[in-house]
Amino acid sequence: MKIFVAITGASGSIYARRLVERLARSERVERIWLSFTRYGREVFDTEEPDCRLEELDKVTLLREDDMFTPPASGSASTDAVVIVPCSMGMCSKVACGAADNLVSRAADVMLKERRKLIMVVRETPFNLIHLNNMTRLTEAGAVIMPASPSFYGKPETIEELVDTVIDRIVAHLSLETAKGWCE
């Protein structure tokens, strides 16, 4: 699989880090395209200061303004786009079809091509505009997945807690089955 992972300016960079690390280890993932929005990079560098995801095998870093890269084209073979964490600003852009940067364009491509778009939203509480945007996106074919970890398995570390969300993302990408809480 070829997967585009986009990191926006919402807090929750650990979700992006854990997802990209997991994807990089998967035998089924051939390539990971990675892009940060401007604020996404700033938040990521604040929350994960020692992490350079672009140095992982399989990862290619793409500029936010590069519209001549595979994820920006419907004729490319991108299998899925995951926006993690997804700010409400990016959610709004995609819901309105405002494809003015690589992240919003790649999401738009997934919707028009009927391919997998997963938006891991990070906001609370939601206002009516947020809910309406998420409804529009769901109706258009996106999967809205709030970064809401589960506690069934009694996670002992922050990473274990975060991984309950990552397990769901990976399952929706059809790479692995989600780990059940009874296991």
Side-chain angles (χ1 to χ4, degrees):
M1 289 185 79
K2 297 175 185 173
I3 301 171
F4 178 61
V5 176
I7 301 172
T8 71
S11 181
S13 299
I14 190 170
Y15 290 103
R17 176 175 60 84
R18 297 295 287 181
L19 175 65
V20 172
E21 290 170 346
R22 173 85 71 78
L23 294 176
R25 289 192 309 267
S26 174
E27 292 178 11
R28 295 193 50 218
V29 174
E30 173 184 342
R31 175 170 294 147
I32 304 161
W33 288 296
L34 177 68
S35 187
F36 296 83
T37 63
R38 181 175 136 214
Y39 293 116
R41 184 86 236 191
E42 288 181 27
V43 172
F44 190 88
D45 288 345
T46 298
E47 294 181 351
E48 299 282 337
D50 299 322
C51 181
R52 293 291 169 253
L53 293 174
E54 55 270 26
E55 295 175 4
L56 292 173
D57 287 341
K58 302 182 187 177
V59 174
T60 301
L61 185 63
L62 303 175
R63 290 188 341 264
E64 177 188 22
D65 64 346
D66 186 355
M67 299 295 255
F68 295 98
T69 191
S73 173
S75 60
S77 57
T78 306
D79 296 297
V81 168
V82 182
I83 304 175
V84 55
C86 183
S87 67
M88 284 298 115
M90 184 58 65
C91 189
S92 175
K93 278 185 179 189
V94 177
C96 294
D100 63 348
N101 65 24
L102 179 57
V103 176
S104 55
R105 172 62 185 164
D108 188 60
V109 166
M110 291 296 102
L111 293 175
K112 79 182 188 70
E113 298 295 331
R114 306 293 193 262
R115 295 186 197 147
K116 184 70 71 171
L117 171 61
I118 300 172
M119 303 177 78
V120 184
V121 296
R122 272 281 304 120
E123 187 66 72
T124 191
F126 296 124
N127 66 38
L128 185 57
I129 295 167
H130 300 155
L131 295 168
N132 286 335
N133 285 335
M134 288 187 284
T135 298
R136 290 181 73 189
L137 288 163
T138 300
E139 290 170 345
V143 174
I144 303 298
M145 190 177 296
S148 300
S150 64
F151 298 86
Y152 302 119
K154 301 191 180 352
E156 296 179 6
T157 66
I158 290 174
E159 285 80 12
E160 287 176 0
L161 189 62
V162 165
D163 284 349
T164 66
V165 174
I166 302 310
D167 291 342
R168 296 298 307 246
I169 297 168
V170 169
H172 276 268
L173 291 170
S174 301
L175 292 172
E176 300 172 19
T177 304
K179 295 176 182 172
W181 63 274
C182 293
E183 293 178 3

